[in-house]
Amino acid sequence: MDLDMHASASNQANIKTLESRGFVHIPSAAGELASGLEGTGRMAEPEDIILAMENFFASKAPLRGKKVLVTAGPTREPIDPVRFIGNRSSGKMGYAIAEAAAQLGADVSLVSGPVSLTAPGGLRLINVETAAEMYDATNSVFEDMDIAVFSAAVADYRPATVADQKIKKSDKGMQIEMEKTVDILQTLGAKKKKGQIIVGFALETENELENAKGKLERKNCDLIVLNSLRDQGAGFGGDKNKVTLVTRNKTQEEELKPKNEIARDILNFIMREFIK
Ligand code: CTP
């Protein structure tokens, strides 16, 4: 922000240069000046400065007033008190989406499995461990959400029974009976209300587009963010990702990019396609 104190010609040129660099100029007011003279050069009234700042930030906050839910990271399904079945999800993609949504002014709830990331400020973080806990946390807030992004790598199966004590090794092999976990996206997708936008993720190794479109229908999503493991650099762990955005009538392939840029692309795509 720049307060114009002297409206000379060279100042006007400087103001134009600053505005061209993205600065906002709040014009000075006319009236009695500190020098005792009358003219243009008084500091703008504080109310006018606040109004200009509010307008500035409103234009940068296209998701203001929108509630956004993001699931992120892996889940851990316990075998006994010290062991679990998990996966390699780092949570980076989901955290980047939550951060980008908060920067765009949204009211963000981030439901996160165990990750070694620091949550960005300015959002509601709900830490969970298992698929069942992730379902409970998302289900309890889903109804109020405008946009829900399911980027978590939720375990599809969990041990059917969890041993109370640490399982001792024996000379024989071992089998663990597994049962299905709740499909959070599919269950909440079935409850989707008019106006809610649901985004799912898909990690595929073959027939990528066909599978992504099937997932879009089956889970009642508006958008599937497709990762193909055939694309170099895509998938878990790294700081970059390569995705294709798939809707019912559009397929948009993105380049390999840092995850925070992909996050902004996804949110811009949602705003363009679904929020008029
Ligand atoms: N998902 C979920 N709850 C689960 C499993 C998956 O919410 N129990 C969500 C993920 O967060 C992601 C999408 O569903 O958005 C990924 O689904 P995926 O596991 O790939 O789908 P499936 O149909 O289970 O895949 P596949 O048939 O390929 O195993």
Side-chain angles (χ1 to χ4, degrees), residues 22-38:
F23 282 75
V24 173
H25 169 225
I26 302 171
S28 54
E32 194 185 336
L33 306 176
S35 61
L37 299 171
E38 291 270 329

Side-chain angles (χ1 to χ4, degrees), residues 9-247:
S10 73
N11 259 344
Q12 290 299 344
N14 288 341
I15 289 165
K16 284 227 154 11
T17 310
L18 287 169
E19 283 178 338
S20 72
R21 292 183 194 159
F23 282 75
V24 173
H25 169 225
I26 302 171
S28 54
E32 194 185 336
L33 306 176
S35 61
L37 299 171
E38 291 270 329
T40 302
R42 284 171 64 86
M43 188 186 93
E45 292 303 322
E47 298 79 30
D48 294 335
I49 296 174
I50 287 171
L51 189 67
M53 286 169 73
E54 280 175 353
N55 288 341
F56 173 79
F57 286 113
S59 68
K60 301 260 173 203
L63 289 181
R64 171 163 301 171
K66 299 276 181 220
K67 291 196 166 69
V68 175
L69 167 69
V70 181
T71 71
T75 63
R76 286 181 180 173
E77 309 303 327
I79 299 170
D80 68 14
V82 296
R83 303 182 179 96
F84 60 83
I85 292 173
N87 63 67
R88 294 184 194 280
S89 169
S90 66
K92 284 179 187 165
M93 194 64 246
Y95 273 57
I97 293 169
E99 183 170 21
Q103 282 167 354
L104 291 170
D107 175 354
V108 180
S109 299
L110 172 62
V111 178
S112 174
V115 294
S116 49
L117 297 172
T118 308
L123 50 75
R124 202 168 304 102
L125 174 67
I126 306 159
N127 285 307
V128 297
E129 207 151 303
T130 63
E133 288 169 7
M134 188 171 275
Y135 172 71
D136 288 343
T138 50
N139 185 40
S140 67
V141 296
F142 178 72
E143 198 184 342
D144 289 337
M145 294 296 140
D146 298 293
I147 303 171
V149 182
F150 296 84
S151 64
V154 186
D156 289 320
Y157 296 92
R158 66 178 179 196
T161 54
V162 181
D164 292 340
Q165 304 296 327
K166 183 173 171 236
I167 299 170
K168 287 281 179 198
K169 64 178 165 296
S170 73
D171 293 338
K172 291 189 231 122
M174 181 188 173
Q175 284 188 343
I176 300 175
E177 193 192 333
M178 305 284 275
E179 65 183 14
K180 281 215 74 175
T181 56
V182 60
D183 190 320
I184 305 168
L185 172 55
Q186 187 154 3
T187 310
L188 297 182
K191 292 191 198 176
K192 183 169 77 163
K193 286 182 306 192
K194 195 164 181 280
Q196 282 187 310
I197 301 156
I198 296 193
V199 182
F201 274 65
L203 184 64
E204 306 287 348
T205 53
E206 56 182 354
N207 302 327
E208 292 90 338
L209 260 184
E210 201 184 314
N211 286 338
K213 290 208 158 144
K215 222 161 265 184
L216 191 76
E217 292 304 332
R218 207 166 54 250
K219 302 200 182 193
N220 202 19
C221 296
D222 300 283
L223 167 66
I224 288 281
V225 180
L226 167 65
N227 280 288
S228 169
L229 277 191
R230 282 198 285 193
D231 286 326
Q232 279 225 320
F236 285 178
D239 289 324
K240 290 189 173 179
N241 201 358
K242 180 164 177 6
V243 300
T244 303
L245 306 181
V246 184
T247 69

